[in-house]
Amino acid sequence: MKRKLLPVFFSLLAAVLLITGCLSTSNPEMDYTGDFTLKIIETTDMHGSIFPYDFINDRESKTSLTQVMSYVTAERQKEGQKVLFLDNGDILQGQPVVYYSNFVATDKQHIASLVMNYAGYDAGSVGNHDVEAGHAVYDKLIDEFNFPWLAANVIDKSTGEPYFTPYTIIWKGGAKIAVLGMCTPGVPTWLPENLWEGMEFKGMVETAEEWVPKILADEKPDLLIGLFHAGTDFTYDGYAEGDVLNPNGVELVAKAVSGFDVILTGHDHQSHNYTVKDPSGNEVLIAGGTNAARSIASVSVKMSYDKASKSWNKDISAEVIEGDTLAVDAAFAAEFEGVKQEVKDFVAKPIGEFTATIGTREAMFGDSPFVDLIHRIQLELTDADVSFAAPLSFDATIKEGKVYVRDMFKLYQYENLLYTMNLTGQEIKDFLEYSYANWFGTMTDTDDRLINFKRDEAGKMIYNERYSSYDTATRYYNYDSAAGIDYTVDVSKPAGQRVAIKGFSDGRAFKMNETYLVAINSYRASGGGGHLTRGAGLTDEELETRMMSSTLQDLRYYLMTWIEKEGTVKPAAIGNWSVVPADWWNKAKAVDYKILYEGLMVD
């Protein structure tokens, strides 16, 4: 209620002050002071990378907000230049420093607002992982931030108005700048409803069609910026251009709605710097940096004022600044050294001991101790018949010996809840068929690839320079396997006909028409990855009715408490599933390992 009443209060106060002559209608920045360069600096998908220190791996890091601040500070000091500092979402998940503020030190001001207020951000957008932190966290931050947090397409169901601020007006050098924010509308597909209760997520194009004409008519800005936590590839994950809730709609908006000068990207962890034409034939710059401050977008707008027409001419260009070329900002680092040490102490707490080293590399190719540890814990916590889980990190290792809080962020990267659902035997099989269709290719002999790699129109694998590897058909966090049942995956058979379930691991018969209790994370249970919707064929309504239980805290918390209770853990593969033909699998995985982890080039 506080959030809704404040704008009304200040509007009334402003009206009273105007009547009494205590407030001038002129804005001191509205007066023309000379031509200048507007430097728009964007961070995005920071994922808690605030300090030049990796709390998960206990080592210094080359990129973080602390390095970005040295660039921002230098740009702010340049004569004839004004800086607009923006963040494009996904602040609240990733490094343990934000987890600590989200769920442990909840009685203190959040680290995100502490550092971002100090850094002097002008505005930010809301990301899907910010919503993942839950109402208690992001509602608190709305009040703590000294800048507006934007998301025009996230609607408060109780009022029909945007839950967050839709857009903001910022004056720089006498120019009026409008910034419209949006969040990727894929949130309901990826997150359980309790995290976004009372909200509706609208499509990006329809939201832009609603708000851009209003902004242009009511505000008459000199520059319109889109600050969208979304990517540019509208075909990603099987979506089509016409999908109303396309989660990567930046380019769709730019080409469908006239008026934008610049649209800043996020969400896809890709850097962008190119232009497209809007419906009026005007160029729109699309720019964005990558995650964890590995790169930032820096847009230069040369603003020259035409006194005759009383309007600004704009010459827009951009560059992507690599984060590892930036020095640490000493003042910023010193300001928050105490907070940094507090979190270092938190993650350094020992919670148990492993008798063997485990890693996710093995999990990319078959049954593994890493994923099976998650399966074991999920089955024990829920008493479910079947567990589904995937490796959530591409290359994580937890070494033999003492295990610390920091290792839990390797074991489980995201703040998912643990659900149980009712699924039939047929739906369990269809779920697995979908998973392995995207995970493994169809092999005809030992020289074929095991992993399902993306291929171009000529059938050749697509090499990704950024990762020095080849792109896979789906991301590793969609490589779901099952525990509780014994089965084989025959990669010589076509997709959809590979999984043969022998029975339950405890000897019970597995029946296609019976219903079983399944342990599954909240991302997958909400439809994330498509395993339950495109695979098992469940509707969105069925996803809700099939849910039987949910943990109150994130799964990582329960994994941690389970290990603390056990004390000494002996990680081992359960051995309940295998890939056949075995000789094909053995030869192919050796080559695919080199492709994924050693950058092997393949003709």
Side-chain angles (χ1 to χ4, degrees), residues 78-396:
K78 288 184 177 179
E79 188 175 351
Q81 180 167 280
K82 303 290 184 181
V83 171
L84 183 65
F85 194 21
L86 304 173
D87 180 79
N88 214 351
D90 275 6
I91 313 157
L92 302 180
Q93 179 277 329
Q95 281 288 326
V97 65
V98 285
Y99 180 90
Y100 184 71
S101 271
N102 290 346
F103 308 117
V104 180
T106 55
D107 58 332
K108 300 179 181 180
Q109 183 176 347
H110 200 286
I111 184 63
S113 62
L114 277 172
V115 300
M116 295 177 78
N117 290 346
Y118 180 88
Y121 277 92
D122 292 289
S125 72
V126 180
N128 53 294
H129 284 293
D130 300 322
V131 178
E132 185 178 32
H135 270 287
V137 179
Y138 55 77
D139 286 348
K140 177 185 177 185
L141 276 169
I142 289 171
D143 292 330
E144 289 185 353
F145 281 143
N146 289 343
F147 54 86
W149 213 12
L150 310 175
N153 63 324
V154 181
I155 306 304
D156 186 332
K157 288 182 178 179
S158 65
T159 65
E161 300 295 325
Y163 189 91
F164 300 90
T165 304
Y167 74 93
T168 189
I169 297 296
I170 302 167
W171 290 91
K172 295 285 182 179
K176 188 177 187 180
I177 304 160
V179 182
L180 174 68
M182 278 197 264
C183 177
T184 173
V187 168
T189 303
W190 307 321
L191 300 178
E193 188 173 356
N194 65 298
L195 298 178
W196 47 273
E197 187 176 4
M199 296 176 176
E200 176 189 355
F201 289 77
K202 294 177 65 177
M204 295 181 65
V205 172
E206 66 172 314
T207 300
E209 288 173 338
E210 175 187 356
W211 282 98
V212 169
K214 288 181 182 179
I215 294 170
L216 295 178
D218 297 345
E219 305 289 356
K220 297 178 175 57
D222 301 305
L223 191 76
L224 177 58
I225 299 171
L227 188 62
F228 300 164
H229 185 82
T232 63
D233 182 5
F234 53 79
T235 68
Y236 183 79
D237 203 21
Y239 281 89
E241 182 174 353
D243 291 335
V244 174
L245 296 179
N246 195 300
N248 288 293
V250 166
E251 194 169 302
L252 297 177
V253 170
K255 292 179 176 179
V257 182
S258 295
F260 288 101
D261 295 288
V262 178
I263 298 181
L264 298 171
T265 67
H267 183 61
D268 62 2
H269 295 195
Q270 302 284 331
S271 62
H272 302 286
N273 182 10
Y274 65 100
T275 61
V276 298
K277 293 288 183 67
D278 71 11
S280 301
N282 299 315
E283 286 196 343
V284 181
L285 174 69
I286 294 176
T290 47
N291 59 306
R294 293 188 300 109
S295 67
I296 58 174
S298 180
V299 178
S300 293
V301 186
K302 293 181 180 179
M303 305 287 292
S304 56
Y305 191 68
D306 185 334
K307 293 183 179 180
S309 63
K310 295 183 179 180
S311 63
W312 291 92
N313 295 315
K314 298 161 286 189
D315 183 10
I316 305 174
S317 61
E319 60 180 328
V320 175
I321 306 295
E322 297 301 321
D324 59 7
T325 65
L326 305 176
V328 166
D329 186 287
F332 186 89
E335 179 71 18
F336 299 104
E337 182 59 37
V339 176
K340 176 183 171 183
Q341 187 58 52
E342 187 176 339
V343 180
K344 286 179 75 173
D345 293 341
F346 165 68
V347 299
K349 176 188 172 184
I351 59 172
E353 186 171 346
F354 280 6
T355 61
T357 297
I358 60 173
T360 56
R361 290 191 177 192
E362 186 179 357
M364 301 299 155
F365 309 100
D367 195 17
S368 71
F370 194 101
V371 174
D372 283 353
L373 177 59
I374 298 171
H375 279 311
R376 283 174 55 193
I377 297 173
Q378 289 188 165
L379 288 170
E380 186 171 320
L381 289 173
T382 62
D383 200 27
D385 298 297
V386 176
S387 168
F388 289 136
L392 300 187
S393 297
F394 180 68
D395 194 9

